[in-house]
Amino acid sequence: MISLNQVRLGIIGLGYVGLPLAVEFGKHFPVVGFDIDSERITELSKGHDHTLEVEGDSLSASALLTFTNDSAALDGCNVFIVTTPTPVDEFKRPDLEPVLSATRTVGQVLKPGGVVLYESTVYPGATEEECVPILERLSGLAFNNGFFVGYSPERISPGDKLHRLTTITKITSGSTPEAADFVNQLYESIIPAGTYRAPSIKVAEAAKVIENTQRDVNIALVNELAMLFTRLNIDTTEVLTAAGTKWNFLHFAPGLVGGHCIGVDPYYLTHKAQQVGYRPDVILASRRVNDSMGTYVADQLVKVMVKKGRTVKGCHVLLMGLTFKENCPDLRNTRVIDIIDELRDFGVIVDVHDPWADPSEAHRRYGIDLIPDLTAGQYDAVILTVAHNQYTQLSAETVRALLSDSNGVVYDVKGILPPEAVDRRL
C-alpha cells in the first residue's frame, strides 16, 4: 500500500463534486484534474467556474493542481477519484455509463499498487460488481493484490455555502482493512470536520443512497398533504407552522423535487431492491408523488384561471425560476420543466426568467430561451417556482404588477409571498 507522501492524485470529473475536491487536495498533493469537456478545462484554466462552487482565487491557490482533458496526463497518478454523475435514463433506470466510462479511462493507466476511489452515488454493490471487473480487465492487475478500491460518498449540496467539503463529516471505506486505513487517512488530510470509517464499501454506498431517499420520502408525504389540504381549503403552510410547534416534528416543505440527488438517487436503490426480488413500495410511491408535482402545479393554476373567467389557451404565463433549487445555477433534472410542458399542452404561452441560470445551457438542455428582464403589465399569470434571493426580496406589489390586470393569477410554489397576496399556494 502506498503512503500519503507518495500520493499523486487523478480526479476524474470536474463538476460540482470533483472540482472542490481537486482544489482542496491540490493544496497538499500533486493533482491532475481530468474532464472530457474541453470547454470546461479551458474555463477552469482561466480561473473561472460557472457552477460557482469554487471562487477564482481558490482555483489559482492550488499550486499543485493542473487541469486537462488528455487522459494520458493521468499516467503518472497512483490514486484516482471518480466523481462523474450517475443519472437515470428516460425510464428511470440507473445510467452507470459515465462512471463506467471513467473507470475504463482509469483502467488503462492503473499501475501496480494503485488505488481507485469512487464518490459517485450508486446502488450498494456497484463499485465491486460493476467497476472492479473493468479495472481488472484493462489493467491486467488482480483486485486486492495488484490494485485496491474504496468508496467515499459525496455530500456536496450545490449552492450551499455553509455546508462545504471541509465542514461535512466524510464517510470512507476500502476493499481491504489496509486500503480502508489509507482511504481514511487520505481524506482526513483535507477534512477538518473529520471522517467516519464504514465497515465495508457496500455500507458506505448504502449510507449515501438512503440519505437522499429519506428526504425524498418525507417531502413526498408533505406534497401529498398539500394536495389533500387544497381540497379541504386549508392553507398547507399554516398547518405546517402549527404542527412545527411540537419539539419532534420534522420540518419539510412541499415543492418540486429535482436536481441530481434527491430526484435521482432513490431510483438506484429501488433498482437494486428489485434485482434481489424486493419491491420497495414506500420509496416508489414517494417517487411517483414527487414526480407528479409539476403537472399538479400547472393543473391547479389552470383551475384558478378558469374560476376567474380567464381564457387559458393563448394566455401568457411567467415562470420565475428554472434551476432545481434556489441561489444555484444547476439546471440538472429541474422539475420546473414539468410545469412548462404541462402548460404548453394547454396552449399557454410560457416565459421563463431566472437570474441564476445560464441562458445557453437552458436552451441546450431544454430548448428554453430565458427572458432577460421582468416586464410589468404583461402576464395573465405568474408562478413563483424557485426562491432565489432576487425573488424573495420582491414585494407582493411588485410581483402582482407583472400581471396584465387585477384579475390575473399569482401561484406561489415556494411560499415567498404572504398568503393574502397570492391566489394559490402549494
Side-chain angles (χ1 to χ4, degrees), residues 17-105:
V17 175
L19 181 61
L21 202 64
V23 167
E24 204 59 42
F25 272 121
K27 298 175 184 178
H28 306 274
F29 306 97
V31 176
V32 176
F34 172 81
D35 199 290
I36 60 174
D37 185 347
S38 59
E39 293 184 4
R40 176 66 166 159
I41 297 303
T42 299
E43 169 190 85
L44 295 176
S45 298
K46 292 180 179 179
H48 175 65
D49 168 32
H50 77 271
T51 70
L52 305 181
E53 290 299 304
V54 176
E55 301 293 337
D57 291 344
S58 297
L59 286 174
S60 59
S62 298
L64 299 176
L65 171 60
T66 59
F67 299 114
T68 183
N69 64 334
D70 182 4
S71 60
L74 296 167
D75 190 59
C77 299
N78 51 18
V79 178
F80 303 88
I81 304 179
V82 174
T83 65
T84 49
T86 44
V88 293
D89 65 18
E90 59 180 315
F91 303 108
K92 308 299 185 184
R93 297 176 305 197
D95 178 9
L96 287 174
E97 182 51 34
V99 167
L100 300 182
S101 177
T103 300
R104 290 190 286 270
T105 297

Coordinates of all heavy atoms in Angstrom, one line a residue, residues 17-105:
V17 N -18.9 18.2 -7.8 CA -18.3 17.4 -6.7 C -16.8 17.4 -7.0 O -16.0 17.6 -6.0 CB -18.8 15.9 -6.7 CG1 -18.0 15.1 -5.8 CG2 -20.3 15.9 -6.4
G18 N -16.4 17.1 -8.2 CA -14.9 16.9 -8.5 C -14.1 18.1 -8.3 O -12.9 18.0 -7.8
L19 N -14.6 19.3 -8.7 CA -13.7 20.5 -8.7 C -13.4 20.9 -7.3 O -12.2 21.1 -7.0 CB -14.4 21.6 -9.4 CG -13.6 22.9 -9.4 CD1 -12.3 22.7 -10.1 CD2 -14.4 24.0 -10.1
P20 N -14.4 21.0 -6.3 CA -14.0 21.3 -4.9 C -13.0 20.3 -4.4 O -12.1 20.7 -3.6 CB -15.3 21.3 -4.2 CG -16.3 21.6 -5.2 CD -15.8 20.9 -6.5
L21 N -13.2 19.1 -4.7 CA -12.2 18.0 -4.2 C -10.8 18.2 -4.8 O -9.8 18.2 -4.1 CB -12.8 16.7 -4.7 CG -12.3 15.4 -3.9 CD1 -12.8 15.5 -2.5 CD2 -12.9 14.2 -4.6
A22 N -10.8 18.5 -6.1 CA -9.5 18.7 -6.7 C -8.7 19.9 -6.1 O -7.5 19.9 -5.9 CB -9.6 18.9 -8.2
V23 N -9.5 21.0 -5.9 CA -8.9 22.2 -5.3 C -8.4 22.0 -3.9 O -7.3 22.4 -3.6 CB -10.0 23.4 -5.3 CG1 -9.5 24.5 -4.5 CG2 -10.2 23.8 -6.7
E24 N -9.2 21.3 -3.1 CA -8.7 21.0 -1.7 C -7.5 20.1 -1.7 O -6.6 20.3 -0.9 CB -9.9 20.5 -0.9 CG -9.8 20.7 0.6 CD -9.7 22.1 1.0 OE1 -10.4 23.0 0.4 OE2 -8.9 22.5 1.9
F25 N -7.6 19.0 -2.4 CA -6.4 18.1 -2.5 C -5.2 18.8 -3.1 O -4.1 18.5 -2.7 CB -6.8 16.8 -3.3 CG -7.4 15.7 -2.4 CD1 -8.6 15.2 -2.8 CD2 -6.7 15.2 -1.3 CE1 -9.2 14.2 -2.0 CE2 -7.3 14.2 -0.6 CZ -8.6 13.7 -0.9
G26 N -5.4 19.7 -4.0 CA -4.3 20.4 -4.7 C -3.5 21.3 -3.7 O -2.4 21.7 -4.1
K27 N -4.0 21.5 -2.5 CA -3.3 22.3 -1.5 C -2.2 21.4 -0.8 O -1.4 21.9 -0.1 CB -4.2 22.9 -0.5 CG -5.2 23.8 -1.1 CD -6.2 24.3 0.0 CE -7.3 25.2 -0.6 NZ -8.3 25.6 0.5
H28 N -2.4 20.1 -1.0 CA -1.5 19.1 -0.2 C -0.8 18.1 -1.1 O 0.3 17.6 -0.7 CB -2.3 18.4 0.8 CG -3.1 19.3 1.7 ND1 -2.6 19.8 2.9 CD2 -4.4 19.7 1.6 CE1 -3.6 20.5 3.5 NE2 -4.7 20.5 2.7
F29 N -1.3 17.8 -2.3 CA -0.8 16.7 -3.1 C -0.8 17.2 -4.6 O -1.6 18.0 -5.0 CB -1.6 15.4 -3.0 CG -1.9 14.9 -1.6 CD1 -3.0 15.2 -1.0 CD2 -0.9 14.1 -1.0 CE1 -3.3 14.7 0.3 CE2 -1.1 13.6 0.3 CZ -2.3 14.0 0.9
P30 N 0.1 16.6 -5.4 CA 0.0 16.8 -6.8 C -1.3 16.2 -7.4 O -1.6 15.1 -7.1 CB 1.3 16.1 -7.4 CG 2.2 15.9 -6.2 CD 1.3 15.7 -5.0
V31 N -2.0 17.0 -8.1 CA -3.4 16.6 -8.6 C -3.5 16.9 -10.0 O -3.2 18.0 -10.5 CB -4.5 17.3 -7.8 CG1 -5.9 16.9 -8.4 CG2 -4.4 17.0 -6.3
V32 N -4.0 15.9 -10.8 CA -4.4 16.1 -12.2 C -5.9 16.1 -12.2 O -6.5 15.1 -11.9 CB -3.8 15.0 -13.1 CG1 -4.3 15.2 -14.5 CG2 -2.3 15.1 -13.1
G33 N -6.5 17.2 -12.5 CA -7.9 17.3 -12.7 C -8.3 17.0 -14.1 O -8.0 17.8 -15.0
F34 N -9.1 15.9 -14.3 CA -9.4 15.5 -15.7 C -10.9 15.6 -16.0 O -11.7 15.2 -15.1 CB -8.9 14.0 -15.9 CG -9.4 13.4 -17.2 CD1 -8.7 13.7 -18.4 CD2 -10.5 12.6 -17.3 CE1 -9.2 13.2 -19.6 CE2 -11.0 12.1 -18.5 CZ -10.3 12.3 -19.6
D35 N -11.2 16.1 -17.1 CA -12.6 16.1 -17.6 C -12.6 16.0 -19.1 O -11.8 16.6 -19.8 CB -13.3 17.4 -17.1 CG -14.8 17.3 -17.1 OD1 -15.4 17.3 -18.2 OD2 -15.4 17.3 -16.1
I36 N -13.6 15.3 -19.6 CA -13.7 15.1 -21.1 C -14.2 16.4 -21.8 O -14.0 16.5 -23.0 CB -14.6 13.9 -21.4 CG1 -16.0 14.2 -20.9 CG2 -14.0 12.6 -20.9 CD1 -17.0 13.1 -21.4
D37 N -14.7 17.3 -21.1 CA -15.2 18.5 -21.6 C -14.1 19.6 -21.8 O -13.7 20.2 -20.8 CB -16.3 19.1 -20.8 CG -17.0 20.3 -21.4 OD1 -16.5 20.9 -22.3 OD2 -18.1 20.7 -20.8
S38 N -13.7 19.8 -23.0 CA -12.6 20.7 -23.3 C -12.9 22.1 -22.9 O -12.0 22.9 -22.5 CB -12.1 20.6 -24.8 OG -13.2 21.0 -25.6
E39 N -14.2 22.5 -23.1 CA -14.6 23.9 -22.7 C -14.5 24.1 -21.2 O -14.1 25.2 -20.7 CB -16.0 24.2 -23.2 CG -16.1 24.2 -24.7 CD -17.5 24.6 -25.1 OE1 -18.4 24.9 -24.3 OE2 -17.8 24.6 -26.4
R40 N -14.8 23.0 -20.5 CA -14.7 23.1 -19.0 C -13.2 23.3 -18.6 O -12.9 24.1 -17.7 CB -15.3 21.8 -18.4 CG -15.1 21.7 -16.9 CD -16.0 22.7 -16.2 NE -16.2 22.4 -14.8 CZ -16.5 23.3 -13.8 NH1 -16.7 24.5 -14.2 NH2 -16.6 22.9 -12.6
I41 N -12.3 22.6 -19.2 CA -10.9 22.7 -18.9 C -10.4 24.1 -19.2 O -9.7 24.7 -18.5 CB -10.1 21.6 -19.7 CG1 -10.5 20.2 -19.3 CG2 -8.6 21.8 -19.5 CD1 -10.4 19.9 -17.8
T42 N -10.8 24.6 -20.4 CA -10.4 26.0 -20.8 C -10.9 27.0 -19.7 O -10.2 27.9 -19.3 CB -11.0 26.4 -22.1 OG1 -10.4 25.4 -23.1 CG2 -10.6 27.8 -22.5
E43 N -12.2 26.8 -19.3 CA -12.8 27.7 -18.3 C -12.0 27.7 -17.0 O -11.6 28.7 -16.4 CB -14.2 27.3 -18.1 CG -14.9 27.9 -16.9 CD -16.3 27.3 -16.6 OE1 -16.3 26.3 -15.9 OE2 -17.3 27.8 -17.1
L44 N -11.7 26.5 -16.5 CA -11.0 26.3 -15.2 C -9.6 26.8 -15.3 O -9.1 27.4 -14.4 CB -11.0 24.9 -14.8 CG -12.4 24.3 -14.5 CD1 -12.3 22.8 -14.2 CD2 -13.1 25.0 -13.3
S45 N -8.9 26.6 -16.4 CA -7.6 27.1 -16.6 C -7.5 28.6 -16.6 O -6.4 29.2 -16.3 CB -7.0 26.6 -17.9 OG -7.0 25.1 -17.9
K46 N -8.6 29.3 -16.9 CA -8.6 30.7 -16.9 C -9.1 31.2 -15.5 O -9.3 32.4 -15.3 CB -9.6 31.2 -18.0 CG -9.0 31.0 -19.4 CD -10.0 31.5 -20.4 CE -9.5 31.3 -21.8 NZ -10.4 31.8 -22.9
G47 N -9.3 30.3 -14.6 CA -9.7 30.7 -13.2 C -11.1 31.0 -13.0 O -11.5 31.7 -12.1
H48 N -12.0 30.4 -13.9 CA -13.5 30.6 -13.7 C -14.2 29.3 -13.6 O -13.9 28.3 -14.3 CB -14.0 31.4 -15.0 CG -15.5 31.6 -14.9 ND1 -16.2 32.3 -14.0 CD2 -16.5 31.0 -15.8 CE1 -17.5 32.3 -14.2 NE2 -17.7 31.5 -15.3
D49 N -15.2 29.3 -12.7 CA -16.0 28.1 -12.5 C -17.5 28.5 -12.7 O -18.0 29.2 -11.8 CB -15.8 27.5 -11.1 CG -16.8 26.4 -10.8 OD1 -17.3 25.7 -11.7 OD2 -17.1 26.3 -9.6
H50 N -18.1 28.1 -13.7 CA -19.5 28.5 -14.0 C -20.5 27.9 -13.0 O -21.6 28.4 -12.9 CB -19.9 28.2 -15.4 CG -20.3 26.7 -15.6 ND1 -19.3 25.8 -16.0 CD2 -21.4 26.0 -15.5 CE1 -19.9 24.6 -16.1 NE2 -21.2 24.7 -15.8
T51 N -20.1 26.8 -12.3 CA -21.0 26.3 -11.3 C -21.0 27.1 -10.0 O -21.9 26.9 -9.1 CB -20.6 24.8 -10.9 OG1 -19.4 24.8 -10.1 CG2 -20.4 24.0 -12.1
L52 N -20.1 28.0 -9.9 CA -20.0 28.9 -8.7 C -19.7 28.2 -7.4 O -19.8 28.7 -6.3 CB -21.3 29.7 -8.5 CG -21.7 30.5 -9.7 CD1 -23.0 31.3 -9.4 CD2 -20.6 31.5 -10.2
E53 N -19.2 26.9 -7.5 CA -18.8 26.2 -6.3 C -17.4 26.6 -5.8 O -17.1 26.4 -4.6 CB -18.8 24.7 -6.6 CG -20.2 24.1 -6.8 CD -21.1 24.3 -5.6 OE1 -20.7 23.8 -4.5 OE2 -22.2 24.9 -5.7
V54 N -16.6 27.1 -6.7 CA -15.2 27.4 -6.3 C -14.9 28.8 -6.9 O -15.1 29.1 -8.1 CB -14.2 26.4 -6.9 CG1 -12.7 26.9 -6.5 CG2 -14.4 25.0 -6.3
E55 N -14.4 29.7 -6.0 CA -14.0 31.0 -6.5 C -12.7 31.0 -7.2 O -11.9 30.1 -7.1 CB -13.9 32.0 -5.2 CG -15.1 32.1 -4.4 CD -16.3 32.8 -5.1 OE1 -16.0 33.5 -6.1 OE2 -17.4 32.6 -4.8
G56 N -12.5 32.0 -8.1 CA -11.3 32.1 -8.9 C -10.0 32.1 -8.0 O -9.0 31.5 -8.4
D57 N -10.0 32.8 -6.9 CA -8.9 32.8 -6.0 C -8.5 31.4 -5.6 O -7.3 31.1 -5.4 CB -9.1 33.8 -4.8 CG -9.2 35.2 -5.3 OD1 -8.8 35.5 -6.4 OD2 -9.7 36.0 -4.4
S58 N -9.5 30.6 -5.3 CA -9.2 29.3 -4.8 C -8.6 28.4 -5.9 O -7.8 27.5 -5.6 CB -10.5 28.6 -4.3 OG -11.0 29.3 -3.2
L59 N -9.1 28.6 -7.1 CA -8.5 27.9 -8.2 C -7.0 28.2 -8.4 O -6.2 27.2 -8.6 CB -9.2 28.2 -9.5 CG -10.7 27.6 -9.7 CD1 -11.3 28.2 -11.0 CD2 -10.6 26.1 -9.7
S60 N -6.7 29.4 -8.3 CA -5.2 29.8 -8.5 C -4.4 29.5 -7.3 O -3.2 29.4 -7.4 CB -5.1 31.3 -8.8 OG -5.7 32.0 -7.8
A61 N -5.1 29.3 -6.1 CA -4.3 29.0 -4.9 C -3.8 27.6 -4.8 O -2.9 27.3 -4.1 CB -5.2 29.3 -3.7
S62 N -4.3 26.7 -5.6 CA -3.9 25.3 -5.6 C -2.7 25.1 -6.6 O -2.9 24.7 -7.8 CB -5.1 24.4 -6.0 OG -6.1 24.5 -5.0
A63 N -1.5 25.4 -6.1 CA -0.4 25.4 -7.0 C 0.0 24.0 -7.6 O 0.6 23.9 -8.6 CB 0.9 25.9 -6.2
L64 N -0.5 22.9 -6.9 CA -0.1 21.6 -7.3 C -1.2 21.0 -8.2 O -1.1 19.8 -8.6 CB 0.0 20.7 -6.1 CG 1.1 21.1 -5.1 CD1 1.1 20.1 -3.9 CD2 2.5 21.0 -5.8
L65 N -2.2 21.8 -8.6 CA -3.3 21.3 -9.4 C -3.2 21.7 -10.8 O -3.0 22.9 -11.1 CB -4.6 21.9 -8.8 CG -5.9 21.6 -9.6 CD1 -6.2 20.2 -9.8 CD2 -7.1 22.4 -8.9
T66 N -3.4 20.8 -11.7 CA -3.4 21.1 -13.2 C -4.7 20.5 -13.7 O -5.2 19.5 -13.2 CB -2.2 20.4 -13.9 OG1 -2.2 19.0 -13.7 CG2 -0.9 21.0 -13.4
F67 N -5.2 21.1 -14.8 CA -6.4 20.7 -15.5 C -6.1 20.2 -16.9 O -5.3 20.7 -17.6 CB -7.4 21.8 -15.6 CG -7.8 22.4 -14.2 CD1 -7.5 23.7 -13.9 CD2 -8.6 21.6 -13.4 CE1 -7.9 24.2 -12.7 CE2 -9.0 22.1 -12.1 CZ -8.6 23.4 -11.8
T68 N -6.8 19.1 -17.3 CA -6.6 18.5 -18.6 C -7.8 17.7 -19.1 O -8.6 17.3 -18.3 CB -5.3 17.6 -18.6 OG1 -5.1 17.1 -19.9 CG2 -5.5 16.4 -17.7
N69 N -7.9 17.6 -20.4 CA -8.8 16.7 -21.0 C -8.1 15.6 -21.8 O -8.7 14.9 -22.5 CB -9.8 17.4 -21.9 CG -9.1 18.1 -23.1 OD1 -7.9 18.4 -23.1 ND2 -9.9 18.2 -24.2
D70 N -6.8 15.5 -21.5 CA -6.0 14.4 -22.1 C -5.8 13.3 -21.1 O -5.0 13.5 -20.1 CB -4.6 15.1 -22.5 CG -3.7 14.0 -23.2 OD1 -4.2 12.9 -23.4 OD2 -2.6 14.4 -23.6
S71 N -6.3 12.2 -21.3 CA -6.2 11.1 -20.4 C -4.8 10.6 -20.2 O -4.5 10.0 -19.1 CB -7.1 9.9 -20.8 OG -6.7 9.4 -22.1
A72 N -3.9 10.9 -21.1 CA -2.5 10.5 -21.0 C -1.9 11.2 -19.8 O -0.9 10.6 -19.2 CB -1.8 10.8 -22.3
A73 N -2.4 12.3 -19.4 CA -1.8 13.1 -18.3 C -2.0 12.3 -17.0 O -1.4 12.7 -16.0 CB -2.4 14.5 -18.2
L74 N -2.9 11.4 -17.0 CA -3.2 10.6 -15.7 C -2.2 9.5 -15.5 O -2.2 8.8 -14.5 CB -4.6 10.0 -15.8 CG -5.8 11.0 -15.8 CD1 -7.1 10.3 -16.2 CD2 -5.9 11.7 -14.5
D75 N -1.4 9.3 -16.5 CA -0.5 8.1 -16.4 C 0.5 8.1 -15.2 O 0.8 7.0 -14.7 CB 0.4 8.1 -17.7 CG 1.2 6.8 -17.9 OD1 0.5 5.7 -17.9 OD2 2.4 6.8 -17.9
G76 N 0.8 9.2 -14.7 CA 1.7 9.2 -13.5 C 1.0 9.2 -12.2 O 1.7 9.2 -11.2
C77 N -0.3 9.1 -12.2 CA -1.1 9.1 -11.0 C -1.1 7.7 -10.4 O -1.1 6.7 -11.1 CB -2.5 9.6 -11.2 SG -2.5 11.3 -11.8
N78 N -1.2 7.6 -9.0 CA -1.3 6.3 -8.4 C -2.6 6.2 -7.5 O -2.9 5.2 -7.0 CB -0.1 6.0 -7.5 CG 0.3 7.1 -6.6 OD1 -0.5 8.0 -6.3 ND2 1.5 7.1 -6.1
V79 N -3.3 7.3 -7.3 CA -4.6 7.3 -6.7 C -5.6 8.1 -7.6 O -5.3 9.2 -8.0 CB -4.6 8.0 -5.3 CG1 -5.9 8.0 -4.6 CG2 -3.6 7.3 -4.4
F80 N -6.7 7.5 -7.8 CA -7.7 8.0 -8.7 C -9.1 8.2 -8.0 O -9.5 7.3 -7.2 CB -8.0 7.2 -9.9 CG -6.7 6.9 -10.7 CD1 -5.9 5.8 -10.4 CD2 -6.3 7.7 -11.8 CE1 -4.7 5.5 -11.1 CE2 -5.2 7.5 -12.5 CZ -4.4 6.4 -12.1
I81 N -9.7 9.3 -8.2 CA -11.0 9.5 -7.6 C -12.0 9.8 -8.7 O -11.9 10.8 -9.4 CB -11.0 10.7 -6.5 CG1 -10.0 10.4 -5.5 CG2 -12.4 10.8 -5.9 CD1 -9.9 11.5 -4.4
V82 N -13.0 9.0 -8.8 CA -14.1 9.1 -9.8 C -15.3 9.9 -9.2 O -15.9 9.5 -8.3 CB -14.5 7.8 -10.4 CG1 -15.7 7.9 -11.3 CG2 -13.3 7.0 -11.0
T83 N -15.6 11.0 -9.9 CA -16.7 11.9 -9.4 C -17.7 12.2 -10.5 O -18.3 13.3 -10.5 CB -16.1 13.2 -8.8 OG1 -15.5 14.0 -9.8 CG2 -15.1 12.9 -7.7
T84 N -17.8 11.3 -11.4 CA -18.7 11.6 -12.6 C -20.2 11.4 -12.1 O -20.5 10.8 -11.1 CB -18.4 10.6 -13.7 OG1 -18.4 9.3 -13.2 CG2 -17.1 10.9 -14.4
P85 N -21.1 12.0 -12.8 CA -22.5 11.9 -12.5 C -23.1 10.5 -12.7 O -22.6 9.7 -13.4 CB -23.2 12.9 -13.4 CG -22.3 13.0 -14.6 CD -20.9 12.9 -14.0
T86 N -24.2 10.2 -11.9 CA -24.9 9.0 -12.1 C -26.4 9.3 -12.3 O -27.1 9.3 -11.3 CB -24.7 8.1 -10.9 OG1 -24.8 8.8 -9.7 CG2 -23.3 7.4 -10.9
P87 N -26.8 9.6 -13.5 CA -28.2 9.9 -13.8 C -29.0 8.7 -13.9 O -28.6 7.6 -13.8 CB -28.1 10.7 -15.1 CG -26.9 10.1 -15.8 CD -25.9 9.7 -14.7
V88 N -30.3 8.9 -14.3 CA -31.2 7.9 -14.7 C -31.6 8.1 -16.1 O -31.6 9.3 -16.6 CB -32.4 7.7 -13.8 CG1 -32.0 7.3 -12.4 CG2 -33.2 9.1 -13.7
D89 N -32.0 7.1 -16.8 CA -32.5 7.3 -18.2 C -34.0 7.7 -18.2 O -34.6 7.9 -17.2 CB -32.2 6.0 -19.0 CG -33.0 4.8 -18.6 OD1 -34.0 4.9 -17.9 OD2 -32.6 3.7 -18.9
E90 N -34.5 7.7 -19.4 CA -35.9 8.2 -19.6 C -36.9 7.2 -18.9 O -38.1 7.6 -18.6 CB -36.3 8.3 -21.1 CG -36.1 7.0 -21.9 CD -36.5 7.2 -23.3 OE1 -37.5 7.9 -23.6 OE2 -35.7 6.7 -24.2
F91 N -36.5 6.0 -18.6 CA -37.4 5.0 -18.0 C -37.1 4.9 -16.5 O -37.5 4.0 -15.8 CB -37.2 3.7 -18.6 CG -37.5 3.7 -20.1 CD1 -36.5 3.5 -21.0 CD2 -38.8 3.8 -20.6 CE1 -36.7 3.6 -22.4 CE2 -39.0 3.9 -21.9 CZ -38.0 3.7 -22.9
K92 N -36.3 5.9 -15.9 CA -35.9 5.9 -14.5 C -35.0 4.8 -14.1 O -35.0 4.4 -12.9 CB -37.2 6.0 -13.6 CG -38.2 7.0 -14.0 CD -37.6 8.4 -13.9 CE -38.7 9.5 -14.2 NZ -38.1 10.9 -14.2
R93 N -34.3 4.3 -15.0 CA -33.3 3.2 -14.7 C -31.9 3.8 -14.5 O -31.5 4.8 -15.3 CB -33.3 2.2 -15.8 CG -34.6 1.4 -16.1 CD -34.5 0.5 -17.2 NE -34.1 1.2 -18.5 CZ -34.3 0.7 -19.7 NH1 -34.8 -0.4 -19.9 NH2 -33.9 1.4 -20.7
P94 N -31.1 3.3 -13.6 CA -29.8 3.9 -13.4 C -28.9 3.8 -14.6 O -28.9 2.8 -15.4 CB -29.2 2.9 -12.3 CG -30.4 2.4 -11.6 CD -31.4 2.3 -12.6
D95 N -28.3 4.9 -14.9 CA -27.4 5.0 -16.1 C -25.9 5.1 -15.5 O -25.5 6.2 -15.1 CB -27.7 6.2 -16.9 CG -26.8 6.4 -18.1 OD1 -25.9 5.5 -18.3 OD2 -26.8 7.5 -18.8
L96 N -25.2 4.0 -15.5 CA -23.9 4.0 -14.9 C -22.8 4.3 -16.0 O -21.6 4.3 -15.6 CB -23.6 2.6 -14.3 CG -24.3 2.2 -13.0 CD1 -24.1 0.8 -12.6 CD2 -23.9 3.2 -11.9
E97 N -23.2 4.6 -17.2 CA -22.2 4.8 -18.2 C -21.2 5.8 -17.9 O -20.0 5.6 -18.2 CB -22.9 5.1 -19.6 CG -21.9 5.2 -20.7 CD -20.9 4.1 -20.9 OE1 -21.3 2.9 -20.6 OE2 -19.8 4.3 -21.3
P98 N -21.5 7.0 -17.4 CA -20.5 8.0 -17.0 C -19.4 7.4 -16.1 O -18.2 7.6 -16.2 CB -21.2 9.1 -16.4 CG -22.6 9.1 -17.0 CD -22.9 7.6 -17.1
V99 N -19.9 6.7 -15.0 CA -19.0 6.0 -14.1 C -18.1 4.9 -14.8 O -16.9 4.8 -14.5 CB -19.7 5.5 -12.9 CG1 -18.8 4.6 -12.0 CG2 -20.2 6.6 -12.0
L100 N -18.8 4.1 -15.6 CA -18.1 3.0 -16.2 C -17.1 3.6 -17.3 O -16.0 3.0 -17.4 CB -19.1 2.1 -16.9 CG -20.1 1.4 -15.9 CD1 -21.0 0.5 -16.7 CD2 -19.4 0.7 -14.8
S101 N -17.4 4.7 -17.9 CA -16.5 5.3 -18.9 C -15.3 5.8 -18.2 O -14.1 5.6 -18.6 CB -17.2 6.4 -19.6 OG -16.3 7.1 -20.5
A102 N -15.5 6.5 -17.0 CA -14.4 7.0 -16.2 C -13.5 5.8 -15.7 O -12.3 5.9 -15.7 CB -14.9 7.8 -15.0
T103 N -14.2 4.7 -15.4 CA -13.5 3.5 -14.9 C -12.6 2.9 -16.0 O -11.4 2.5 -15.8 CB -14.5 2.4 -14.4 OG1 -15.2 3.0 -13.3 CG2 -13.7 1.2 -14.0
R104 N -13.1 3.0 -17.2 CA -12.3 2.5 -18.4 C -11.1 3.4 -18.6 O -10.0 2.9 -18.9 CB -13.1 2.4 -19.6 CG -14.2 1.3 -19.6 CD -14.8 1.1 -21.0 NE -15.8 2.2 -21.3 CZ -17.1 2.1 -21.0 NH1 -17.6 1.1 -20.3 NH2 -17.9 3.1 -21.3
T105 N -11.3 4.7 -18.4 CA -10.1 5.6 -18.5 C -9.1 5.3 -17.5 O -7.9 5.3 -17.8 CB -10.6 7.1 -18.4 OG1 -11.5 7.4 -19.4 CG2 -9.5 8.1 -18.4

